[in-house]
Amino acid sequence: MANDTGNSGTLTVRKSPSRSHSPARLMSPSRLASQNGDKDWDVASTVSSPASVPEYTGPKLYKEPSFKSNKFIIHNAISRCCLAGKVNEAQKKKIVEEMEKSTANHFLILFRDSSCQFRAVYTMNPETEELVRLAGIGPRVLCSSMVESIYKYSSDRKQFTAIPSKTMSMSVDAFTIPGHLWQSKRPGTPKKPSTPK
């Protein structure tokens, strides 16, 4: 058999490649692990995994919500926007206490009308979309079809912005109801007859 040396003068075509050259460089980590006996791969992966950090065994300070909660946003809106200032301190304190007692995850502020005058805080059941008054003035129970307009609170600007939609969702922070719902819930006060002089 003749030597095929080509132009370079070395036997590269018919010579088997050496193991010291690049095969290990081109292998995936899983193939390397099987070559090295899995031990090195396991060590490398557990060093950076959160499971290798010792688990905290102290008192439970934070309870992870079952799904997104807007309690902090509503608390912030009430404190810094709706009921800000010393004059509203008692009402704000009462409403915040009711929110803390509640097991609800989603809270909504009821405004009197589009001028965003605070009236009450409601909780919303996401399955039934029923709104139940937690504290304040307003109808005891509302369904989502009674909502007139909805708002989102911006913590940066400390203000509410109307959302061009009627659909209640977990991203809604406040709402208004039609005026006739306010009148129908008020108890009728009979007019006093004028007294003759």
Side-chain angles (χ1 to χ4, degrees):
M1 189 181 217
N3 258 351
D4 289 344
T5 58
N7 292 340
S8 65
T10 60
L11 293 173
T12 56
V13 175
R14 298 191 185 220
K15 187 178 177 185
S16 64
S18 167
R19 289 284 172 201
S20 64
H21 289 83
S22 66
R25 267 189 316 166
L26 301 176
M27 286 187 178
S28 69
S30 61
R31 287 189 62 189
L32 278 174
S34 62
Q35 264 191 351
N36 295 338
D38 288 346
K39 190 168 113 182
D40 294 338
W41 177 249
D42 289 341
V43 170
S45 67
T46 57
V47 169
S48 63
S49 76
S52 65
V53 178
E55 191 170 328
Y56 178 71
T57 57
K60 187 130 178 154
L61 301 175
Y62 172 73
K63 181 184 175 193
E64 192 172 319
S66 57
F67 64 92
K68 186 180 173 188
S69 175
N70 72 341
K71 183 184 273 190
F72 179 76
I73 292 169
I74 298 301
H75 183 280
N76 193 7
I78 290 169
S79 300
R80 299 173 190 252
C81 182
C82 300
L83 298 174
K86 287 283 185 191
V87 71
N88 297 315
E89 194 68 35
Q91 185 182 11
K92 177 174 63 178
K93 184 178 177 185
K94 180 181 184 251
I95 289 169
V96 168
E97 284 173 4
E98 290 298 322
M99 286 176 63
E100 290 303 318
K101 284 190 243 173
S102 175
T103 59
N105 286 318
H106 192 74
F107 298 88
L108 294 157
I109 295 173
L110 172 65
F111 291 137
R112 175 64 180 94
D113 51 32
S114 62
S115 62
C116 298
Q117 299 164 327
F118 177 85
R119 287 296 178 255
V121 172
Y122 283 73
T123 60
M124 183 173 117
N125 182 335
E127 287 87 33
T128 63
E129 293 189 7
E130 187 176 69
L131 307 167
V132 179
R133 187 182 70 221
L134 184 66
I137 299 166
R140 179 76 189 121
V141 178
L142 294 165
C143 62
S144 60
S145 63
M146 297 175 177
V147 172
E148 185 174 54
S149 53
I150 57 177
Y151 298 83
K152 182 84 180 141
Y153 181 69
S154 168
S155 297
D156 296 343
R157 296 187 313 227
K158 297 179 186 169
Q159 69 181 23
F160 287 89
T161 307
I163 301 171
S165 173
K166 299 268 186 204
T167 307
M168 292 300 284
S169 70
M170 299 312 277
S171 64
V172 175
D173 297 321
F175 68 102
T176 61
I177 56 175
H180 73 274
L181 292 175
W182 288 104
Q183 280 98 28
S184 65
K185 297 295 179 188
R186 285 186 183 161
T189 54
K191 291 185 179 179
K192 291 182 180 179
S194 59
T195 54
K197 291 186 178 180

